[in-house]
Amino acid sequence: MPIAKRDFFNLLKVSIESINPSQLIRNSVHKQNSSLKIEKKFLFKNQNLIDDLSLNKNVYIAAFGKAAYGMALEMEKIIGHDLCRAIAILPFNHPVNHIQSKIEFFFAGKFNLPDLDSILATKKIYHMASSLAESDIFIALVSGGGSALLALPQNYTQNETHNLDIKLETIKMLVKCGANINELNTVRSSLSQVKSGKLSLLAHPATTIALVISDVIDDPLEIISSGPCCAHSVYYPNEQAQKAVEILEKFEILDRVPLEIRNFLEEKIKISEHVDEKVENFLKNQRVCNFLIGNNTLATMALMNELEKECYSNDFRVLLSNSLSGEARNIGSILAAFTYLLIQIRKVKLMDYLSLIVIKL
């Protein structure tokens, strides 16, 4: 095998291993005596560390996303006998080993879209989270793809399948109109019972700890899996509905969205004179802490560190960006052209250098 090809595959292996879900959990979470410890350096910005996590058979876990399997199994090992219940929602085709575990595994999200299986599994998490007491610890293991797996539309009608269909129809209309990710999330959240902080609201008054592996550029908490434990995204129902209506009006599609969606939002806005006591209590006394334990920066830094080793003959190393986005084929062409240009520049500099040596001789 050519040296360059060997180096490429080794670097690829190193970067992938650096973001192994099980290893990321081991790197960030530790059990000391009868307490759970998570290093402060993993905290998302503008969050206060909750460090009084005493374990006493009071831990409940909800895992969802492409990394849910490895994250859940590793957390189960760490928590041990203090784990009361754990539910993990995995992509529908995710392989699972036959091992002894307390974790209840569910499979959903065919074609990377929410489906009826997503709803049925999310209901399990919904009921578990809603039953927690103040002394309990709720751990959410969040990773990319979680939006399609953790899905529970509001009850616009009594038909769950229809509720999902009309919600997806509304979101697709917004996408076609060019709505940005924040606008999509605002409307999606108003139509969901678990997104944009509502999962942590359900678990209140328990302490909520979210361990997040990001698949989104620049790691915005409210965007990763639609921010189910992003406490600052929680609004009073009427305020959230009003924001959603304003966005639908901006794109001139309020009259075109399904009637059930329109009626639901209008009803929520009308209850403005009534205070939602649970939301009010949550906003005043919430105990929610989100930790970023993995992202693409970890992978690129692992690759850069590996390049420092003597076994690599190439002495030119540069990290272009951790925030690159666009159509893959277009970006690939740009990077190939950029690489070719660098090689030519280095050849020119080498020739200049050799010319100087000849002149001096």
Side-chain angles (χ1 to χ4, degrees):
M1 180 185 295
I3 293 176
K5 190 173 183 180
R6 179 206 66 192
D7 288 352
F8 171 80
F9 282 112
N10 190 55
L11 290 168
L12 180 63
K13 179 183 176 184
V14 167
S15 60
I16 291 174
E17 287 177 348
S18 71
I19 50 173
N20 177 279
S22 300
Q23 187 61 50
L24 292 176
I25 292 290
R26 287 194 292 272
N27 292 345
S28 55
V29 183
H30 309 281
K31 188 176 181 180
Q32 295 181 1
N33 300 322
S34 58
S35 294
L36 199 65
K37 300 293 182 182
I38 307 171
E39 294 188 43
K40 188 175 183 179
K41 67 179 181 180
F42 295 108
L43 262 180
F44 271 91
K45 293 178 181 179
N46 304 318
Q47 298 213 16
N48 297 317
L49 180 66
I50 300 174
D51 53 8
D52 54 332
L53 299 174
S54 299
L55 304 178
N56 186 24
K57 295 184 178 179
N58 59 339
V59 179
Y60 297 79
I61 293 175
F64 40 90
K66 296 171 185 175
Y69 184 65
M71 295 176 79
L73 287 177
E74 197 60 39
M75 279 303 302
E76 182 182 29
K77 292 178 186 176
I78 294 171
I79 301 300
H81 67 274
D82 289 305
L83 178 62
C84 296
R85 190 181 181 191
I87 300 171
I89 313 177
L90 313 180
F92 77 101
N93 58 352
H94 195 291
V96 174
N97 296 325
H98 296 288
I99 56 174
Q100 189 173 2
S101 172
K102 282 185 178 180
I103 303 169
E104 303 166 39
F105 291 107
F106 296 89
F107 302 87
K110 287 184 179 179
F111 313 113
N112 202 31
L113 288 171
D115 54 23
L116 195 54
D117 289 330
S118 304
I119 293 175
L120 295 176
T122 302
K123 275 184 161 183
K124 299 280 186 181
I125 292 177
Y126 180 99
H127 292 305
M128 178 180 72
S130 301
S131 66
L132 301 183
E134 188 172 356
S135 58
D136 292 326
I137 298 173
F138 178 60
I139 300 178
L141 305 176
V142 185
S143 58
S147 295
L149 303 178
L150 187 79
L152 189 59
Q154 296 281 5
N155 296 316
Y156 328 113
T157 70
Q158 295 182 347
N159 187 317
E160 289 181 339
T161 303
H162 184 58
N163 290 341
L164 178 61
D165 289 342
I166 60 177
K167 178 186 174 183
L168 290 176
E169 181 184 345
T170 301
I171 299 304
K172 287 176 181 177
M173 289 174 68
L174 275 171
V175 170
K176 288 181 179 179
C177 290
N180 63 40
I181 188 64
N182 290 321
E183 290 167 331
L184 287 171
N185 260 12
T186 298
V187 176
R188 187 188 287 134
S189 172
S190 69
L191 304 178
S192 170
Q193 298 185 57
V194 290
K195 300 187 190 304
S196 292
K198 290 179 183 175
L199 183 59
S200 56
L201 172 62
L202 285 171
H204 186 73
T207 297
T208 295
I209 301 296
L211 304 177
V212 181
I213 298 178
S214 171
D215 67 336
V216 182
I217 290 174
D218 297 330
D219 313 316
L221 177 59
E222 66 276 10
I223 303 299
I224 305 165
S225 287
S226 299
C229 296
C230 183
H232 68 252
S233 294
V234 175
Y235 295 94
Y236 291 103
N238 62 299
E239 293 177 358
Q240 195 172 58
Q242 183 61 51
K243 289 175 182 289
V245 167
E246 289 171 1
I247 291 169
L248 295 173
E249 287 179 335
K250 171 186 172 181
F251 292 100
E252 300 180 349
I253 58 172
L254 181 61
D255 293 336
R256 290 163 45 203
V257 299
L259 179 61
E260 298 93 335
I261 296 285
R262 215 160 55 239
N263 290 341
F264 171 81
L265 292 174
E266 290 172 355
E267 285 299 316
K268 286 292 181 182
I269 293 172
K270 289 178 183 177
I271 62 171
S272 58
E273 66 273 12
H274 299 104
V275 175
D276 189 315
E277 293 183 1
K278 181 161 186 176
V279 173
E280 187 171 40
N281 183 269
F282 173 80
L283 293 174
K284 289 180 180 178
N285 307 301
Q286 56 96 355
R287 283 173 53 81
V288 181
C289 211
N290 289 268
F291 296 85
L292 179 64
I293 66 170
N295 59 4
N296 67 344
T297 300
L298 280 178
T300 52
M301 292 312 299
L303 190 150
M304 294 296 288
N305 291 336
E306 180 69 13
L307 280 171
E308 295 295 328
K309 295 182 178 178
E310 294 181 1
C311 61
Y312 296 99
S313 58
N314 188 356
D315 60 356
F316 184 79
R317 306 170 185 87
V318 59
L319 176 58
L320 293 177
S321 174
N322 282 312
S323 302
L324 194 62
S325 64
E327 182 68 32
R329 69 180 69 183
N330 297 334
I331 296 297
S333 298
I334 293 170
L335 290 178
F338 182 73
T339 303
Y340 177 80
L341 181 62
L342 286 177
I343 292 172
Q344 299 310 310
I345 290 172
R346 290 190 66 204
K347 283 182 178 179
V348 170
K349 287 184 177 180
L350 179 60
M351 292 302 296
D352 289 344
Y353 179 71
L354 292 173
S355 297
L356 285 173
I357 294 176
V358 171
I359 290 171
K360 287 183 179 179
L361 290 175

